[in-house]
Amino acid sequence: MSIQGKIVLVTGASSGIGEATVRELAARGATVVLGARRTDRLEKLVAELRAQGATAEFQALDVTKRDSVADIVRFARERFGRLDVIVNNAGVMPLSPLEALKVNEWEQMIDVNIKGVLYGIAAVLPVFAQQGHGHVINTSSIAAYRSIPTGAVYCATKAAVNFITEGLRQENAYVRTTIISPGVTESELAHTITHEATAKFIDDYRKIIIPADAIARAVAFAIDQPDGVDVNEIVVRPTAAN
């Protein structure tokens, strides 16, 4: 089955990579279900997609709440009869040195970046098992492959995403899994940084950046493969990046 006609749920769909992914998949004929906290943005985006002839729905979603994630998966399945793909894309990146002791931000990264992905997996696995097929795509980061100053917790959360995804792949022969690891990409992630010196450093670091639709095309590539082909990991970064 190609992208055409697939039912795809995207979390963190109100901006950045999530929004770009929704636009790309809808343009290729997928039916998209959008989830995020900022429903005003989702409503506007869905109206735009429908005006272009796409089939799109949205629902408020907080990935830190297991019931919220389960609800949107149930909504997608009840509305369209099945769910083919979940893109666990919601994420936060409030970088800071450990000595800044921003413990609340550490907990937020764990809740969104790790537990949010796990809640997504928990919600779709029974559906995929009953269907006999499904695809879990998790947005990771190049930060998953090595720790950097100010990024200890963020890098750890993304490394966890990689290991969780690989474990899921090994455990389930009927589930396709894909890790998408973006380099510096156009998004609102940097807006969550509250540590002033880190924010300034990241502003300089983000002078070399790729558009969000570059990541969206990678997601589409993974989905578009034949059923027996599983693209497990894609790293996408600026050409000029170190």
Side-chain angles (χ1 to χ4, degrees), residues 135-146 158-167 169-170 175-183 215 217-223 225 229-237:
H135 193 170
V136 175
I137 300 177
N138 294 328
T139 302
S140 182
S141 169
I142 57 169
Y145 304 98
R146 65 184 179 94
K158 291 304 184 178
V161 168
N162 286 16
F163 277 91
I164 290 165
T165 311
E166 173 60 10
R169 183 191 71 79
Q170 294 185 29
V175 177
R176 298 202 297 180
T177 67
T178 304
I179 298 164
I180 305 288
S181 296
I215 311 304
R217 289 192 298 273
V219 173
F221 174 80
I223 295 173
Q225 300 307 303
V229 178
D230 191 1
V231 177
N232 299 132
E233 192 165 357
I234 303 177
V235 179
V236 186
R237 55 163 60 95

Side-chain angles (χ1 to χ4, degrees), residues 93-97 105 109 148 150-151 154 192-195 198 202:
M93 190 186 71
L95 304 177
S96 65
E105 293 181 356
M109 282 186 277
I148 59 172
T150 75
Y154 178 73
T192 62
I193 299 173
T194 63
H195 187 262
T198 300
I202 292 299

